[in-house]
Amino acid sequence: LLSRYEIDSWVRRLVDSRVTLIMPMTNAVGVANKVRTENGIDPNRDFPFDQLPTACMQTIAARSINELYRSHLLQLVITFHGGMQAIGYEWGAFPYYHGSAHKSPDDSMMREISSILSSFAGTGSVPGNRLYPYAPMNDLVYPVKGGMEDWGYAASWDSSKVRGCTPRTYGGYDASKTRYGHGEARAFTVLVETSDRKGPMDGTYGSESGVYAPGSAGDGHVPRNMRLALAAIDLVEPYVEAWQVS
């Protein structure tokens, strides 16, 4: 976005007409220790959606994300993970695992946007990669308690699944910060599982030159997901361009 701002009218539109927030290392403690957890707690299950009050907002990672959702009316959120290749969307919680409520109220929109993200991202030209399959997380991954994605989508309106958190870690966390108004925690929150391997092989990450050149020598895991992120930023605000032709 920065390096192409002066030369690319599309990138300039994305920067000038949207607010893009980036949290590059959400689980900093886990990364530093090369583990999934933060001091033994999985941040991926640390959100107040179908979760016990004492078992949510225990981690700094979850609290940081919570503060971001509370301070901004977010529209579209991408959370990148590894371990398979998939784009997952709501629902991914046990209360919606079976039955008529299996699909979210916005299922059609979620499916269409996920299809575009998958297509625009491409495969990264990495051997073994394929276009991201996309489906509700309950179908494509598995249901969980305390998942970020369902919380980020529905905490402000699916109130029967949300209870104020009362964690004991780090001196506690104000329970009022997990009570949500209509303008908080109602974003389309998308899970992107980026690779079958948690740590892809050297030589498959790609480079900046591959972002705008899918299929080139610079393409790879990172350019693939940069394209996906750019598509998401673009989709936040639909627009029409009129071209005059002779």
Side-chain angles (χ1 to χ4, degrees), residues 204-216:
T204 64
Y205 287 93
S207 63
E208 183 178 350
S209 66
V211 175
Y212 291 91
S216 69

Side-chain angles (χ1 to χ4, degrees), residues 10-157:
W10 180 55
V11 166
R12 192 156 53 248
R13 176 193 291 276
L14 299 187
V15 173
D16 290 348
S17 62
R18 292 146 174 78
V19 175
T20 302
L21 305 174
I22 302 171
M23 188 177 287
M25 196 61 67
T26 310
N27 184 9
V29 174
V31 171
N33 292 306
K34 295 182 172 59
V35 294
R36 176 189 178 97
T37 59
E38 178 186 310
N39 296 327
I41 301 168
D42 186 352
N44 297 312
R45 311 288 183 267
D46 199 26
F47 293 86
F49 195 88
D50 189 35
Q51 183 59 284
L52 294 172
T54 56
C56 55
M57 292 297 148
Q58 300 176 93
T59 63
I60 296 300
R63 295 180 193 182
S64 299
I65 295 169
N66 186 57
E67 295 297 334
L68 200 64
Y69 274 77
R70 283 170 45 82
S71 59
H72 297 82
L73 180 55
L74 303 174
Q75 295 170 262
L76 180 57
V77 176
I78 307 290
T79 172
F80 290 104
H81 295 253
M84 61 183 295
Q85 296 182 61
I87 296 175
Y89 50 87
E90 293 70 37
W91 297 107
F94 285 100
Y96 298 115
Y97 193 35
H98 296 296
S100 59
H102 180 70
K103 294 181 179 180
S104 79
D106 297 297
D107 182 76
S108 294
M109 171 275 291
M110 293 177 174
R111 184 173 62 254
E112 288 298 319
I113 289 180
S114 297
S115 170
I116 293 168
L117 297 180
S118 174
S119 176
F120 200 74
T123 67
S125 299
V126 175
N129 272 14
R130 55 198 179 280
L131 290 180
Y132 285 127
Y134 50 90
M137 290 175 289
N138 276 341
D139 295 334
L140 202 56
V141 192
Y142 43 76
V144 301
K145 289 182 175 293
M148 171 188 164
E149 294 80 15
D150 289 348
W151 162 83
Y153 168 61
S156 67
W157 53 270

Side-chain angles (χ1 to χ4, degrees), residues 221-234:
H221 287 291
V222 175
R224 177 195 202 188
N225 291 294
M226 288 299 98
R227 289 192 293 270
L228 186 149
L230 288 168
I233 296 169
D234 186 77

